[in-house]
Amino acid sequence: MGEIKVLGSFASLYACRVEWALLHKGVKYEYIDEDLKNKSPLLLKCNPVHKKVPVLLLGEKPIAESHIILEYIDETWKENPLLPQDPLERAKARFWARFADEKCFSGIRTAFRSEGKEHEKAVEESLEALKILEEELKGKKFFGGESVGFVDLVVGWIPHWLPVFEEVCGFKLLDANTFPCLRAWCDRFLNVPFIKEKLPPSDKLLVILTNMRKGWLNK
């Protein structure tokens, strides 16, 4: 297989998913931090289509896109499985992972990059999507059941990144009265040892996201 490397970026929640999965599996790897304003020849070579992180590099063989990388990791290293064995349950996990990215995070991203009515609409859409996630989580310790699974890693931005997005953008989404299950899950998730091992400091994340938002709004 060759040496395992992860091409990521400090503030990338997508890259963090990949590192969490490798840590959970006990797989040793080298992390390479990319400057996304000045992308390296290695990144452009490994992901010439999207030119984005994360990329999992297996010797000279690259794999791109976080969901695909997570599935590859789970299929290659069997210990501490991320996806259920049952095909139906696996399909459900993939559905909720995609929902979280396409409905929850996409709304947050739009709100982060906009102002006025577009911003307000995106916040409202994100709120409604999070309510659906709240219902899915009821009665569960984690989205994966009794332990962290595929969906938990995909929505792992909620406990750590969302509060920073809220501060930067001036809105509040994850109210404890409205989202008791998600808030309890956030506390459990952040206390998982391999999650705590790989979280970007919130103060540095705040500076980066503040500057990024200013850049988007000044375009």
Side-chain angles (χ1 to χ4, degrees), residues 5-7 30 32 34 39-48 55 57 59-60 62:
K5 299 178 182 179
V6 176
L7 307 187
E30 177 187 351
I32 300 174
E34 284 285 336
K39 297 174 183 178
S40 72
L42 179 60
L43 175 60
L44 298 177
K45 176 185 176 183
C46 291
N47 191 0
V55 173
L57 195 55
E60 299 295 322

Side-chain angles (χ1 to χ4, degrees), residues 183-194:
R183 286 298 295 267
W185 169 82
C186 285
D187 291 339
R188 285 192 291 270
F189 184 80
L190 291 177
N191 278 299
V192 173
F194 72 86

Side-chain angles (χ1 to χ4, degrees), residues 24 37 44 46 49 51 71 77 79 86 89 99 102 110 115 155 164 191 196:
H24 188 36
K37 293 181 179 179
L44 298 177
C46 291
V49 176
K51 303 177 177 64
E71 291 211 38
W77 293 280
E79 190 174 354
D86 180 72
E89 294 303 316
F99 173 85
E102 293 182 354
T110 300
E115 292 180 301
V155 299
V164 182
N191 278 299
K196 289 195 291 187

Side-chain angles (χ1 to χ4, degrees), residues 144-165:
E146 289 300 308
S147 59
V148 170
F150 187 82
V151 180
D152 297 279
L153 298 188
V154 171
V155 299
W157 58 270
I158 293 176
H160 193 68
W161 277 260
L162 182 55
V164 182
F165 280 118

Side-chain angles (χ1 to χ4, degrees), residues 89-150:
E89 294 303 316
R90 290 170 74 89
K92 288 180 180 178
R94 293 184 180 107
F95 169 85
W96 286 112
R98 182 173 293 184
F99 173 85
D101 272 356
E102 293 182 354
K103 297 297 182 181
C104 299
F105 185 66
S106 64
I108 300 293
R109 183 172 53 211
T110 300
F112 176 72
R113 296 175 177 179
S114 62
E115 292 180 301
K117 290 184 178 180
E118 184 183 4
H119 174 85
E120 292 172 6
K121 180 182 178 183
V123 170
E124 184 60 34
E125 289 176 350
S126 298
L127 185 63
E128 293 305 312
L130 286 170
K131 288 178 180 177
I132 295 172
L133 271 189
E134 172 77 9
E135 287 297 316
E136 172 60 19
L137 188 55
K138 282 185 177 179
K140 299 177 183 178
K141 187 176 180 181
F142 293 99
F143 286 95
E146 289 300 308
S147 59
V148 170
F150 187 82

